[in-house]
Amino acid sequence: MSARRFLTALAATALTVLALPVDASAALPKHQLTGYWQNFVNGAKPLRVSDVPNDYDVVALAFAEADPTRPGAVTFGVDPELAGKLGGYTDADLKADIAAKKARGTTFVLSVGGEKGNVDLSNDANVANFVDSVGKILTDYGINGLDIDLEHGFNVPNTAKAIRQLRDRVGDGFVLTMAPQTLDVQPGGSYLELIDSVKDVLTVVHTQYYNSGTMNGCDGKVYSQGSVDFMTAQACGLLGKLRPDQVSLGLPATPSAAGSGYVEPAVVNAALDCLTSGANCGQYKPDTGHPELSGVMTWSINWDVTDGGSFSGPVRKHLNELP
């Protein structure tokens, strides 16, 4: 083959590769550490996105807020109180920080909901407003996708419809995460219905294994939060519905980060071992290991940094050692 024909063939091959759909999950590490960045001020250390430790693979920007002038729509921008605490932090600064982190391989999702937030998707007009507003925010800030953290009930069919419309708008690189409370992924829970509706476009579910109390495990036994069994015996329910790479464990970064349910990183790591290889289990032991298990989510990056990275350090190290 002549040099010219070789270069022409090489260029054609490159164009073909570029034209292939982007698999969002392929851009993520096999075992991810996800954390929430607080766009508000509480007892945790205020952070710029540039301050987020590199241990985090996925950053959920918390939170988009309901637009009071446009039902279903949400708004997002640097919280004024946070900007003041940081000595000045603008939307332009945030966009630049997101771009810089993305260049290093970090993935960003816009989180909707939280402890106090909600969004009204009760009709098609509101769904259209939601999709339009979120789509514009993702484009404007360079965000990869959406995190559903609705904790006060939601219209499941319309939420699924909004997700699919947003995914069609963004394209194959769209990242979708969810942070259900434990009760919401028990049999009959609203998130189970939503998961069934959109699991073909779902990246990962990181259930909040805290602020919960006792819950039924998939073996029919009751387990209390704060233990290996609480995480593993509930995670198995989702592992029966989803691929292992779509299932993650959500824990508070410090005792101050949640009302209850904090466990030491060593307990989190034991739960990871149990689910991936059957080692270091408590009373519950899975029938088979799931080495493709996604990883861990924590609330929040700010609380973790406040405590000197006491959560992300050992958990990140252990994630790197998993099969």
Side-chain angles (χ1 to χ4, degrees):
M1 180 184 291
S2 68
R4 176 178 293 181
R5 289 180 64 190
F6 173 79
L7 290 173
T8 300
L10 183 63
T13 301
L15 288 173
T16 300
V17 171
L18 290 172
L20 291 174
V22 175
D23 180 3
S25 62
L28 297 173
K30 291 298 182 182
H31 302 295
Q32 307 123 41
L33 179 60
T34 297
Y36 283 79
W37 172 76
Q38 297 180 188
N39 187 30
F40 56 88
V41 176
N42 59 6
K45 183 177 181 178
L47 298 175
R48 298 170 181 262
V49 163
S50 58
D51 298 327
V52 172
N54 292 329
D55 283 339
Y56 288 94
D57 306 299
V58 181
V59 174
L61 304 168
F63 296 97
E65 298 184 353
D67 186 341
T69 68
R70 191 180 173 203
V74 298
T75 62
F76 181 72
V78 176
D79 176 74
E81 186 179 3
L82 175 63
K85 288 286 187 180
L86 293 173
Y89 192 48
T90 66
D91 288 350
D93 294 331
L94 175 56
K95 293 172 186 177
D97 285 350
I98 290 172
K101 283 287 184 182
K102 285 178 65 179
R104 295 179 61 95
T106 306
T107 296
F108 286 85
V109 289
L110 178 69
S111 188
V112 176
E115 179 186 3
K116 300 177 181 179
N118 204 359
V119 61
D120 178 9
L121 298 178
S122 58
N123 56 60
D124 286 345
N126 289 14
V127 169
N129 287 340
F130 178 82
V131 172
D132 181 62
S133 61
V134 172
K136 289 178 179 176
I137 293 168
L138 300 189
T139 299
D140 196 21
Y141 283 82
I143 301 170
N144 302 91
L146 180 68
D147 174 65
I148 302 292
D149 188 14
L150 297 170
E151 300 180 6
H152 305 288
F154 54 90
N155 184 307
V156 173
N158 283 357
T159 302
K161 183 187 298 183
I163 287 170
R164 290 198 176 278
Q165 290 181 11
L166 191 58
R167 195 268 185 192
D168 290 343
R169 176 167 174 162
V170 173
D172 290 328
F174 180 64
V175 175
L176 174 64
T177 65
M178 296 182 187
Q181 299 174 104
T182 52
L183 185 62
D184 293 327
V185 288
Q186 290 283 304
S190 55
Y191 269 86
L192 287 186
E193 185 180 351
L194 180 61
I195 287 167
D196 283 340
S197 299
V198 299
K199 61 184 177 182
D200 58 310
V201 297
L202 178 61
T203 306
V204 65
V205 177
H206 33 244
T207 305
Q208 302 176 37
Y209 292 122
Y210 50 94
N211 292 340
S212 174
T214 58
M215 282 288 157
N216 291 324
C218 65
D219 57 356
K221 298 178 181 179
V222 177
Y223 295 99
S224 298
Q225 64 179 1
S227 67
V228 169
D229 285 327
F230 187 77
M231 293 176 272
T232 56
Q234 288 191 76
C236 71
L238 284 181
L239 287 168
K241 286 180 168 289
L242 297 169
R243 302 187 313 268
D245 64 275
Q246 292 176 301
V247 179
S248 190
L249 313 178
L251 286 310
T254 70
S256 299
S260 62
Y262 171 77
V263 296
E264 294 289 339
V267 179
V268 180
N269 292 343
L272 290 171
D273 288 341
C274 180
L275 291 169
T276 56
S277 65
N280 295 325
C281 296
Q283 181 179 345
Y284 171 79
K285 185 170 182 177
D287 293 334
T288 184
H290 302 281
E292 304 89 358
L293 188 81
S294 175
V296 174
M297 172 275 282
T298 192
W299 178 270
S300 66
I301 296 170
N302 299 67
W303 283 111
D304 180 43
V305 171
T306 301
D307 202 39
S310 61
F311 185 92
S312 61
V315 172
R316 172 77 272 167
K317 181 177 183 295
H318 199 68
L319 287 171
N320 293 341
E321 296 168 349
L322 289 179

